[in-house]
Amino acid sequence: MKKLLCILLVLFLLFGGARSANANSAQSYWKGVDQAGVIVTGDNCPIVVEHELLTLDLQEFPQPHYNSEEDFLAYPGKVTAQYTFCNPSAMTVTAKLLFPFGSQPWYGTYTDADAVKYDILVDGKPVEKKIRHTLSSGNFRLDTDLPLVSDNFVEDAFYSPDLTVTAYKFTVSGLDSNTYKAAVVGFDIPKGLGNQRFYLPNQRGAQRQDNDDMRIFSSAKNGEGFYLYVFGEPLTTMPTIKFYQNGGAEDSERISGTAALTHTETLTFKEFAFENWSEETGVSEIDWYNATVADLNNNAKNREYPFVYRINYGSFIDTLMRWYEYEITVAPGQKIINTVTAPIYPTIDMAYDPDVYGYNYLLSPASTWKSFGKLDVVVNTPFYMTHCTLNGFEKTDTGYKANFDGLPNGELYFELSTSENPERPSGFNWGWLIVLAAPFILIGELFEAIGEFFTNLFLF
């Protein structure tokens, strides 16, 4: 499996692997108090952005891998958004702001130590900040991601903290493991069970049957146990468990085997959600719980059938979107300078010679403000900007700059390289040799994994 990991790393580096995106501060809640002490809230916060100075300090590129947290934290790449906020209303306005700054990069996962080291300032003085976390789909959307930040456990149509979860453990025996090295165990579930959902950890796939049932299955080995989790009402009768030669899970390929129920445990959904949580994760209980609910709902691939096919559970740290949460208070007619600094990480595309580093900064969250004035963008870097989604950047002695009247249409994405014209090699490429040779090198070791991949590929 070490060979597989090496090949996957090479593929990841060759073809990029977007991990992080930074964005402007967006207001999520506000209240205003007028001279009579009346509290006002609503959809339109009266605070306006007169000016934003966006500065990206990119003096060096990150390493493809860091051996320690200390080395990772020494990486100096950062972005600073300096806002001039003005309150033209007759109210004193307090607004809660959220600044999303991306998930952790795949080349440096060390909780949130990189985000803690920067302060958020109002008129030059640090203000209290929290680091919040939400489940990230990888493509930020203001209308779907912003509502995921909640101060309470999410109210879901199915999941609740007190929902009953029953864990059934089965132990496998009686398999001809010498003949069927890729054997799977599974069972069929009907669609439309609104009071239950099923989860089979390490599920390898699902197949719709001719009778319209859904067959879900996972790997099977003698002496090993597997769990079946049932959310909602416990089972009154056990499902009929069957064994198959491989991940095809066809009726014609059934084989002999036994799955004995050896343990049953009942817990609440809140207890289930926190099985893999600890304070050391750096994620709050509320954010972890809400991310778990979002994960379960996102991975209910086919809503007709009551089962969950999950990928992220228990490994949230490197997939969660991270946010700064803080408050500003602006008196009637007052202007304040709010400065937010956050780490920024690029994708790394090693398919070019030399490598290309892509930076993504989302401008759309600033659309939550009543109005937005001037935007100045400064990129301090010794490297070449080889591509940019926005027109108007010009070269300076310290890098690049651009000026905009109002928010530009679209997001800001640009690429840097040590060469002004990086090229994809047209000749022999060792990376492509690895891509082509990998299935043959690992065919014996990875037969089961390859079967699993193609099974899942055509699931839905």
Side-chain angles (χ1 to χ4, degrees), residues 34-77:
D34 65 17
Q35 293 179 345
V38 177
I39 297 176
V40 179
T41 61
D43 294 332
N44 297 315
C45 178
I47 294 177
V48 299
V49 181
E50 289 191 346
H51 176 243
E52 178 184 355
L53 172 59
L54 180 63
T55 305
L56 299 102
D57 290 303
L58 309 171
Q59 298 300 318
E60 65 181 62
F61 293 136
Q63 300 298 316
H65 174 71
Y66 288 93
N67 293 319
S68 69
E69 181 177 7
E70 182 180 4
D71 290 342
F72 174 61
L73 293 178
Y75 170 66

Side-chain angles (χ1 to χ4, degrees), residues 101-113:
F101 57 95
S103 56
Q104 292 191 351
W106 48 265
Y107 43 78
T109 303
Y110 296 101
T111 64
D112 291 319

Side-chain angles (χ1 to χ4, degrees), residues 184-189 198-200 203-209 213-218 228-229 242 244 249 305-309 460:
V184 298
V185 58
F187 61 92
D188 298 348
I189 56 175
F198 297 87
Y199 167 53
L200 191 63
Q203 183 177 320
R204 287 186 50 192
Q207 300 281 7
R208 192 192 300 268
Q209 303 302 298
D213 285 351
M214 183 68 73
R215 179 168 298 163
I216 63 177
F217 47 90
S218 66
L228 168 63
Y229 287 88
K242 303 174 183 178
Y244 305 90
Y305 292 91
F307 77 97
V308 177
Y309 187 82
F460 304 101

Side-chain angles (χ1 to χ4, degrees), residues 159-165 267-270 289:
Y159 299 104
S160 66
D162 296 329
L163 179 73
T164 299
V165 180
L267 60 161
T268 66
F269 178 71
K270 182 179 178 181
Y289 175 93

Side-chain angles (χ1 to χ4, degrees), residues 315-395:
S315 59
F316 284 135
I317 297 302
D318 59 355
T319 60
L320 294 179
M321 168 67 75
R322 302 184 294 170
W323 309 66
Y324 286 136
E325 179 184 85
Y326 64 103
E327 287 187 353
I328 59 172
T329 298
V330 191
Q334 182 185 14
K335 291 184 181 181
I336 65 169
I337 304 298
N338 173 212
T339 305
V340 183
T341 301
I344 187 169
Y345 304 103
T347 61
I348 305 175
D349 191 343
M350 296 179 68
Y352 284 88
D353 183 19
D355 305 338
V356 170
Y357 297 77
Y359 297 84
N360 199 20
Y361 190 88
L362 306 173
L363 300 172
S364 56
S367 63
T368 61
W369 298 103
K370 185 174 182 180
S371 67
F372 191 97
K374 187 177 180 182
L375 170 66
D376 295 326
V377 182
V378 176
V379 181
N380 293 322
T381 184
F383 307 117
Y384 294 98
M385 183 180 290
T386 60
H387 170 71
C388 185
T389 56
L390 299 181
N391 295 324
F393 276 88
E394 61 182 58
K395 190 79 172 69

Side-chain angles (χ1 to χ4, degrees), residues 166-282:
T166 310
Y168 301 93
K169 182 180 180 181
F170 299 86
T171 301
V172 175
S173 63
L175 285 177
D176 183 355
S177 55
N178 291 327
T179 303
Y180 305 111
K181 299 182 182 300
V184 298
V185 58
F187 61 92
D188 298 348
I189 56 175
K191 63 181 179 181
L193 298 179
N195 57 353
Q196 289 176 322
R197 289 189 187 177
F198 297 87
Y199 167 53
L200 191 63
N202 302 314
Q203 183 177 320
R204 287 186 50 192
Q207 300 281 7
R208 192 192 300 268
Q209 303 302 298
D210 292 339
N211 65 357
D212 223 19
D213 285 351
M214 183 68 73
R215 179 168 298 163
I216 63 177
F217 47 90
S218 66
S219 299
K221 295 185 183 299
N222 284 326
E224 294 187 359
F226 68 91
Y227 276 91
L228 168 63
Y229 287 88
V230 178
F231 304 96
E233 296 182 7
L235 296 175
T236 55
T237 57
M238 290 296 110
T240 300
I241 297 176
K242 303 174 183 178
F243 294 85
Y244 305 90
Q245 295 179 14
N246 52 49
E250 299 289 344
D251 286 333
S252 60
E253 297 181 338
R254 281 191 60 186
I255 58 177
S256 297
T258 301
L261 179 63
T262 55
H263 179 70
T264 302
E265 180 181 359
T266 301
L267 60 161
T268 66
F269 178 71
K270 182 179 178 181
E271 291 171 332
F272 171 84
F274 291 146
E275 280 184 341
N276 294 301
W277 175 86
S278 69
E279 291 185 357
E280 286 70 25
T281 64

